[in-house]
Amino acid sequence: MTGPVSPATEPNRSDRRAELMLGALASVVLVLIAGMLVFVLTKAWPSFSHNGLAWFGSGGNVDDQLIDIFNSPANPDKYEYTLHAWPLLYATALVTVGAVAIGLSFALFAAIFIVEFAPDRLRAVLEPVVRLLAAVPSVIYGLIGILVLVPFVGNHLIGTETKKSVAYVVQLSGNSMLVAVVILTVMITPIMIALIVDALRAVPGSWTEGAHALGANRWRVVWTIAVRAARPAIVGACVLATARALGEAIMLSMVSGSVGFAPNPLDGLTFFVEPMRPLAATIVDNAEGLSVKPLGQTLYAFAAVLLVSSLFLSLGAWAVRQPMKRYGVRP
Amino acid sequence: MKHRLPLVVAVAILAVAVPASTASARTTISMSGSTSVAPLAAKLAKGYLKAHPGAATFRLAQGGSDVGVADVAAGRVTIGNSSRDPKGTDPGGLVWSRIARDAICIATNSSNPVSGLTQAQVQAIFSGSVRDWSQVPGSPKSGPIDLVVRTAASGTQDAFQKIFMGSAKVSSSAAQKASNGLVAQSIKSDPNAVGYVSLAFTKGLNDARYKGVACNLRNAKSGQYEGVRNFWMVTRGRPTGGALKFIRWIQRSKAAHAITATGWVPIRG
């Protein structure tokens, strides 16, 4: 700390004005979020109220149910709402958890390398590239997926025998969980790397220097001091990555298989190449039918689930971060 | 993340250049709807302006047949383009004017030159009762059949169900794609795939004959090819003013018929 800051004896008028303005802006954001939540939930309500908790369960074929909803009769009393969205929820959870888990382990080590071990010249290239990758629009990843990865997986990784063995249940064409998770991981890892790098840099030098002075080697210092101190930021990075993965729609709609199937872990290796379709991708694929009222309400119900889960995600992350904050650096 | 949702219907706005010859206020004809109708509508708008310079200003957006119908019912556009026939749940007070007919082709990967399919075979394949190419006569392949279809809201899906499938149900294990282009891409990259697309999207694919008739423009015009559906322009109430003139021109003038005939079947009358 350098000398004392100039003492503010009385509140400055322009400070006060800035405070009011910024406060108002922040409140507008809050009102917007609350308004959005209320709007989506109101729109979605008929779908939830007709199905009750069964909405979240499994049963029947979810694509057939969506088609029936789309083909509802004109009479509002006879609208079809029956839906068991489990395969879509399960697919969303699978790709999100898969991508964030793989992405986190990769991002953590990549960030440690960049901050602690990379030679200066390599670092000068690596960091801007990572930040650039974080900004690539998802539709580009989707195009790479359907033009390169999906045909590769479909024609080279899946044998005809495997395709035959499950042909009566599901078709394996390369549009799969594997491709979805791989591309999603590539999409979210750069953001995580960038955030974790910033956090590791923010660890006070005196802490790591102290550890060095006690004779610990670089790896031990990074792992036991810097990474530990950066844990709140790492959780924050995971939350941002999860939110992006949850809401990713276009890319997943292009590569994930376009069929409401719940991949079965008991199928062994085939499990990874089975198609599926997460919630956000389902909204994109069916957006053409938004004008059919019950289908629109069902799509709003998907949106509501995504919205509420990202709210809970933020709350959960806040709760997890509390005990870590005592010795941590702020993200 | 959430703000991306409304953008899902990638609405491509295509401004058709208008010669700035007349200074007077021109009528604006705005259209939205079917992605299958959009290429034809753009060509017709250009042709109309060539025939009647400065008669109107066009704005063309896409979004899908259902979007077009909803937009025109709400008064957001002058004309809604639809590639499906009217149905019971459509809003009341709409007038449907038929502007052209379009062929739907059954397509397979070019490495799988299936020569022809009967209606019974199409139904068996798409309903999932035949699941292996070795059971399909004329296919050199063996291996499971990958079905590629459209989402329920698609006009092409609606037409396919009515014309080809009748009361048979499309298998629920089929992959549902959101556009003609995505279906074509899936068939191109998967040797075992079969799907259906609008005639304009069959480049690079193998078109199977349907009931012994090749899927091409000539057969669609002559009426021999049966997999043909209607393109509609939908207005709220009877078309008036600029929209009426435009639709009449499409239906009656020789120039419009010539434009339509480059890829679709013109309507006489």
Side-chain angles (χ1 to χ4, degrees):
Chain A
M1 294 294 140
T2 53
V5 196
S6 62
T9 44
E10 58 188 63
N12 187 321
R13 293 231 347 241
S14 75
D15 273 359
R16 184 86 196 119
R17 226 175 15 239
E19 194 185 313
L20 275 175
M21 295 272 287
L22 296 179
L25 270 179
S27 321
V28 167
V29 172
L30 280 183
V31 169
L32 263 180
I33 291 177
M36 197 158 65
L37 200 61
V38 170
F39 174 77
V40 169
L41 283 176
T42 331
K43 286 269 191 189
W45 182 245
S47 178
F48 289 126
S49 71
H50 275 75
N51 292 293
L53 277 181
W55 195 95
F56 298 92
S58 65
N61 180 298
V62 69
D63 284 334
D64 289 348
Q65 290 158 0
L66 282 173
I67 291 172
D68 288 343
I69 293 173
F70 175 76
N71 291 326
S72 286
N75 181 353
D77 298 333
K78 290 187 182 155
Y79 278 167
E80 181 65 46
Y81 280 107
T82 312
L83 182 82
H84 303 292
W86 170 249
L88 310 178
L89 300 170
Y90 174 61
T92 312
L94 267 184
V95 281
T96 308
V97 170
V100 172
I102 302 171
L104 174 64
S105 36
F106 193 83
L108 187 57
F109 292 114
I112 291 176
F113 176 74
I114 289 176
V115 170
E116 201 61 34
F117 296 97
D120 284 343
R121 285 166 74 183
L122 183 59
R123 183 184 303 153
V125 179
L126 219 51
E127 269 205 85
V129 168
V130 165
R131 286 175 202 269
L132 191 72
L133 269 181
V136 175
S138 65
V139 68
I140 293 180
Y141 286 114
L143 280 179
I144 295 172
I146 52 169
L147 295 178
V148 182
L149 284 181
V150 166
F152 175 78
V153 169
N155 300 333
H156 299 289
L157 290 193
I158 315 174
T160 309
E161 284 312 308
T162 320
K163 286 186 185 179
K164 264 187 190 158
S165 66
V166 291
Y168 279 86
V169 189
V170 64
Q171 49 189 38
L172 307 177
S173 62
N175 286 94
S176 57
M177 185 176 91
L178 178 69
V179 177
V181 169
V182 165
I183 301 185
L184 201 55
T185 308
V186 174
M187 275 177 63
I188 62 177
T189 307
I191 310 173
M192 291 165 109
I193 297 180
L195 288 172
I196 297 176
V197 163
D198 288 346
L200 290 179
R201 291 236 170 89
V203 174
S206 54
W207 297 9
T208 45
E209 278 160 23
H212 278 301
L214 289 173
N217 62 20
R218 275 159 92 190
W219 172 251
R220 252 183 98 75
V221 171
V222 168
W223 193 246
T224 54
I225 308 287
V227 170
R228 243 180 119 73
R231 279 186 314 178
I234 294 173
V235 173
C238 285
V239 169
L240 265 185
T242 313
R244 181 159 191 205
L246 266 183
E248 179 46 45
I250 297 288
M251 183 280 286
L252 288 177
S253 132
M254 288 161 99
V255 305
S256 69
S258 316
V259 55
F261 178 77
N264 184 354
L266 299 179
D267 290 349
L269 281 180
T270 313
F271 168 65
F272 294 102
V273 291
E274 282 172 353
M276 31 94 98
R277 193 183 57 218
L279 281 176
T282 309
I283 299 180
V284 177
D285 285 353
N286 290 285
E288 229 184 307
L290 262 180
S291 61
V292 176
K293 213 170 168 206
L295 185 67
Q297 286 160 334
T298 307
L299 296 187
Y300 271 109
F302 296 156
V305 169
L306 287 174
L307 203 53
V308 170
S309 42
S310 52
L311 277 185
F312 274 106
L313 190 68
S314 305
L315 285 179
W318 177 80
V320 166
R321 262 196 303 219
Q322 289 316 303
M324 295 177 182
K325 267 192 180 152
R326 273 179 76 188
Y327 304 110
V329 290
R330 291 296 196 88
Chain B
M1 161 200 145
K2 297 109 207 166
H3 62 268
R4 213 179 286 159
L5 301 181
L7 284 179
V8 290
V9 189
V11 177
I13 304 220
L14 176 79
V16 179
V18 188
S21 52
T22 45
S24 64
R26 294 182 290 260
T27 41
T28 299
I29 299 177
S30 53
M31 298 186 272
S32 75
S34 167
T35 53
S36 309
V37 179
L40 174 62
K43 279 188 181 175
L44 286 171
K46 253 183 207 159
Y48 184 64
L49 291 176
K50 208 176 264 174
H52 305 280
T57 311
F58 284 99
R59 276 199 314 238
L60 174 60
Q62 304 188 14
S65 294
D66 258 80
V67 170
V69 173
D71 277 353
V72 74
R76 287 189 285 266
V77 294
T78 330
I79 295 172
N81 294 327
S82 170
S83 60
R84 64 157 172 82
D85 292 345
K87 59 174 188 178
T89 47
D90 288 332
L94 297 179
V95 174
W96 295 62
S97 315
R98 203 160 62 141
I99 58 158
R101 285 151 67 75
D102 172 50
I104 296 177
C105 304
I106 309 281
T108 58
N109 187 280
S110 51
S111 73
N112 182 20
V114 177
S115 54
L117 297 168
T118 63
Q119 183 165 22
Q121 281 171 327
V122 170
Q123 287 172 349
I125 290 173
F126 279 89
S127 66
S129 56
V130 165
R131 288 180 185 262
D132 200 288
W133 282 114
S134 58
Q135 294 165 268
V136 180
S139 165
K141 275 200 162 337
S142 73
I145 299 175
D146 289 340
L147 300 175
V148 190
V149 301
R150 292 286 301 277
T151 47
S154 144
T156 313
Q157 163 73 19
D158 182 69
F160 176 77
Q161 178 70 47
K162 281 199 185 116
I163 301 168
F164 293 86
M165 297 301 280
S167 56
K169 196 179 144 300
V170 172
S171 164
S172 48
S173 65
Q176 302 176 2
K177 303 290 177 187
S179 72
N180 272 308
L182 282 175
V183 173
Q185 172 54 36
S186 300
I187 299 173
K188 254 178 227 166
S189 65
D190 179 1
N192 286 347
V194 61
Y196 51 84
V197 285
S198 179
L199 180 60
F201 291 84
T202 52
K203 226 175 152 197
L205 307 176
N206 168 61
D207 308 338
R209 286 162 172 268
Y210 177 59
K211 294 187 182 175
V213 183
C215 179
N216 57 33
L217 198 56
R218 188 147 44 96
N219 291 338
K221 272 179 195 161
S222 70
Q224 278 176 292
Y225 186 75
E226 291 182 20
V228 173
R229 52 144 169 201
N230 298 316
F231 277 180
W232 303 90
M233 285 194 172
V234 188
T235 46
R236 190 159 68 160
R238 298 196 62 79
T240 52
L244 176 67
K245 278 183 202 150
F246 180 51
I247 292 175
R248 275 224 180 112
W249 177 82
I250 294 172
Q251 290 173 331
R252 295 184 184 168
S253 83
K254 278 216 171 84
H257 287 169
I259 292 169
T260 308
T262 57
W264 298 269
V265 184
I267 300 292
R268 306 276 165 203

